[in-house]
Amino acid sequence: MDTDTPARTNAPEFTVSEISGAIKRTLEGEFGRVRVRGEITELKAYPSGHIYLALKDEGAKIRAIIWRFAVPKLSLKPENGVEVIATGKVSAYGERSDYQLIIDRLEYAGEGALLARIEALRKKLGAEGLFDEARKKPLPRLPRVIGVVSSEKGAVIQDIRTTIARRFPSHILLWPVPVQGQGAAEQIAAAIHGFSRLPAGMPRPDVLIVARGGGSLEDLMAFNDEAVIRAVAACPIPVISAVGHETDTTLVDFASDRRAPTPTAAAELAVPARAELLAALAQRSARLLQSGQAALNHARLRLSRTEARMPDLPGIVGAARQRLDDRAERLVLAPAALLARKRAALDALAPRLPHPRETLAGHRHAVAQAATRATAALQRLTDQSHARLARVPDPANALRRMVDQRHAALARIPDAGQALRRVLEQQQARLHRLPDPGTRVAASLREARLTLSGLAARLEGASYQGVLARGFALVRLEDGPPVTAAGEVPAGARLAITLRDGTLHATADGSAPQKRPRPAPKPEQGSLL
């Protein structure tokens, strides 16, 4: 028998990948979703966002991983040394033949019930609106009295006192209370209520600081008590909470008006820095002085520019006085000069005016010519109408003959239809609608009479007889032309006065109307300036 021949076996062969995948499927199918309690160790956060860690107890250790998408959903920040309860599923990593826990939820193991109680209280008070931002009160700018609710022992009150004395010295009113242990919550709530109910004779704080040092979750439970939270929310004085260190958070922080990470920071929030106020005041004073100086310089510059552009007021007043004197002198002379110009224009125009008799004679001649032309035109129109009427045959007889011819033709044609009858009826209708020729001639005569009446009216309006009919009279010398001025008639002259219905004769007595004396000129007014 050959000893080099390998022994045969019935066990199946697997590749590494096959056996690794089978183990992974077995782990995930057997365990599913599990909760593992242990202490966090070997915590490491990678730049990719994934967190690798391990959970251990007294006898074993299991590797775990928190994927990047699950990190924001965690209710706590994982830290080394913290005992937690991790929820997830068991899986395997084939490249290293390791099994691991894929974590999607973390809870505190030792403090789980306590944290759940705090979270339930937070939701309850939050639903009541005790944590709303609208309830927050603003802090006073310069408080005179600062109330402190804290222990009289320890570094908290000393830090607050030294910070306030350094920044802005103010009165501090301390209400000492225990900050942990049995009955601490009730005393803290009573102190907050006591500050808000101080009698009128005692100084009442303008701002209230609730503070204590750091500690464990159990040590800070007095500031998670419902009575303390309701006292802070109902306090009429603005409250600053400074409980624990920067990473510690209690429910008092949600109900207070401002949260400070440390007691020292709470004192800094309560009072401003005096040096900073003095520096800001000096800076604003300098800016105000500079702004006022700049505004004054700008006003001076505008005033100087305006002064340079202003005209010479004494010169303007002198020129105005001179123009006023000149206008006053011209105003005195203006009426006499105006009358002289009007009289000269009238004298120049008088020789060119025609005599009224010539005008009347021209109008009479024009009216006579118009009447002659109108009479001749009317006669010609009448003659032409008579001649045209004589030449035109009687349309009625012609139409009757045409109708008779149509009837004869219709009688000759036995098959004449309804169309020829309609034509005959239309011709008969036209015969009835023809006007009488005498009517047209009468209309032409009426138009000619209207034209002649209009010309006669115009002739009558141009005649001086119409003027005499309205009450006027034409005065003439018996052997001369009409009289146009009373001064032209000598005494004893014989006058012929023509009226509407006849002529009167009279003798002039020579008394001409007296001219009104011209008013004496008013004394010249002196200069008003």
Side-chain angles (χ1 to χ4, degrees):
M1 182 176 179
D2 191 359
T3 59
D4 295 333
T5 302
R8 296 182 178 272
T9 177
N10 292 328
E13 293 183 356
F14 296 95
T15 63
V16 175
S17 299
E18 290 176 348
I19 194 66
S20 176
I23 294 172
K24 180 177 181 180
R25 288 190 296 272
T26 302
L27 288 173
E28 293 178 355
E30 183 67 20
F31 291 94
R33 188 173 179 85
V34 296
R35 287 166 56 87
V36 181
R37 180 170 182 166
E39 180 183 346
I40 297 177
T41 184
E42 300 177 8
L43 178 68
K44 187 175 182 180
Y46 281 79
S48 61
H50 308 312
I51 298 177
Y52 294 87
L53 53 93
L55 297 177
K56 69 175 183 177
D57 57 9
E58 294 82 0
K61 181 174 67 173
I62 181 174
R63 296 187 181 277
I65 182 172
I66 304 174
W67 299 121
R68 179 179 59 186
F69 67 87
V71 172
K73 302 178 182 179
L74 299 178
S75 59
L76 58 89
K77 182 179 180 181
E79 296 179 356
N80 287 325
V82 178
E83 188 177 3
V84 296
I85 297 177
T87 304
K89 65 178 181 178
V90 178
S91 182
Y93 184 58
E95 292 186 5
R96 289 200 301 264
S97 299
D98 291 339
Y99 71 94
Q100 59 189 2
L101 180 64
I102 308 299
I103 299 174
D104 56 10
R105 183 178 178 182
L106 283 178
E107 299 173 17
Y108 286 108
E111 303 171 350
L114 198 59
L115 291 173
R117 178 183 175 185
I118 295 174
E119 180 65 18
L121 181 59
R122 185 187 69 82
K123 291 181 180 179
K124 172 187 173 183
L125 299 180
E128 295 180 9
L130 268 63
F131 303 152
D132 293 345
E133 289 295 328
R135 298 174 58 93
K136 309 290 184 183
K137 295 178 287 296
L139 300 180
R141 178 65 175 170
L142 293 174
R144 295 177 300 173
V145 179
I146 301 172
V148 179
V149 178
S150 184
S151 175
E152 74 275 13
K153 300 177 182 180
V156 172
I157 186 61
Q158 298 300 326
D159 291 342
I160 293 175
R161 290 178 59 186
T162 55
T163 303
I164 292 177
R166 172 175 51 84
R167 290 175 63 84
F168 199 94
S170 303
H171 296 287
I172 299 177
L173 189 60
L174 173 65
W175 195 303
V177 293
V179 293
Q180 69 181 52
Q182 187 69 24
E186 290 77 6
Q187 295 189 43
I188 294 173
I192 296 173
H193 286 303
F195 270 124
S196 61
R197 298 172 183 173
L198 287 176
M202 296 186 63
R204 181 178 176 180
D206 298 316
V207 65
L208 193 61
I209 299 177
V210 179
R212 70 147 288 159
S216 63
L217 181 61
E218 289 80 3
D219 296 338
L220 302 178
M221 280 305 296
F223 297 92
N224 289 318
D225 190 83
E226 183 175 357
V228 175
I229 297 169
R230 291 188 181 278
V232 171
C235 183
I237 305 172
V239 179
I240 302 175
S241 63
V243 179
H245 296 301
E246 295 186 3
T247 57
D248 297 327
T249 303
T250 60
L251 296 182
V252 171
D253 297 333
F254 295 99
S256 61
D257 299 303
R258 293 291 294 274
R259 177 188 179 273
T262 61
T264 303
E268 293 178 352
L269 289 175
V271 294
R274 184 176 181 180
E276 294 178 0
L277 290 178
L278 292 175
L281 184 61
Q283 182 182 10
R284 292 184 180 179
S285 176
R287 292 177 59 188
L288 183 61
L289 182 61
Q290 183 179 3
S291 177
Q293 189 65 34
L296 187 60
N297 294 336
H298 183 64
R300 286 198 184 100
L301 180 60
R302 290 182 58 190
L303 182 61
S304 61
R305 290 178 178 175
T306 304
E307 183 182 4
R309 291 196 300 267
M310 288 183 64
D312 184 14
L313 293 181
I316 294 176
V317 172
R321 286 174 177 170
Q322 186 176 1
R323 286 197 301 271
L324 182 61
D325 296 339
D326 180 63
R327 298 297 189 276
E329 184 178 0
R330 292 172 60 186
L331 185 60
V332 172
L333 301 177
L338 179 62
L339 290 176
R341 288 198 302 272
K342 295 296 183 181
R343 189 176 289 108
L346 184 59
D347 294 341
L349 185 61
R352 296 198 299 271
L353 291 175
H355 198 276
R357 287 181 296 182
E358 298 177 359
T359 304
L360 290 175
H363 284 307
R364 289 193 186 96
H365 180 68
V367 168
Q369 289 183 349
T372 303
R373 288 197 298 271
T375 303
L378 181 60
Q379 186 63 37
R380 286 196 302 272
L381 182 59
T382 303
D383 297 341
Q384 292 175 2
S385 299
H386 283 293
R388 190 179 297 112
L389 186 61
R391 289 195 301 271
V392 174
D394 187 3
N397 295 332
L399 189 57
R400 290 190 186 93
R401 288 195 299 272
M402 184 174 60
V403 170
D404 295 338
Q405 292 175 4
R406 294 290 175 89
H407 276 292
L410 186 60
R412 289 193 300 270
I413 301 175
D415 296 333
Q418 188 67 22
L420 293 178
R421 293 188 179 91
R422 284 198 298 269
V423 171
L424 181 59
E425 292 174 357
Q426 293 175 0
Q427 296 295 338
Q428 290 177 350
R430 290 179 58 189
L431 176 61
H432 292 298
R433 287 197 300 268
L434 284 176
D436 190 2
T439 304
R440 289 184 292 176
V441 174
S444 300
L445 291 176
R446 283 197 300 270
E447 292 179 1
R449 290 192 185 96
L450 291 175
T451 303
L452 181 60
S453 299
L455 293 175
R458 290 177 60 188
L459 178 61
E460 184 178 357
S463 175
Y464 74 95
Q465 297 292 338
V467 179
L468 297 179
R470 292 196 296 270
F472 293 91
L474 175 61
V475 180
R476 296 180 297 172
L477 296 174
E478 285 188 342
D479 55 354
V483 177
T484 59
E488 297 177 357
V489 180
R494 296 290 295 173
L495 299 177
I497 302 173
T498 304
L499 299 175
R500 176 178 62 82
D501 54 353
T503 303
L504 299 177
H505 297 276
T507 302
D509 58 0
S511 60
Q514 297 182 357
K515 296 183 179 180
R516 295 181 180 179
R518 296 180 61 184
K522 295 182 180 180
E524 182 178 359
Q525 182 180 2
S527 175
L528 297 177
L529 301 177

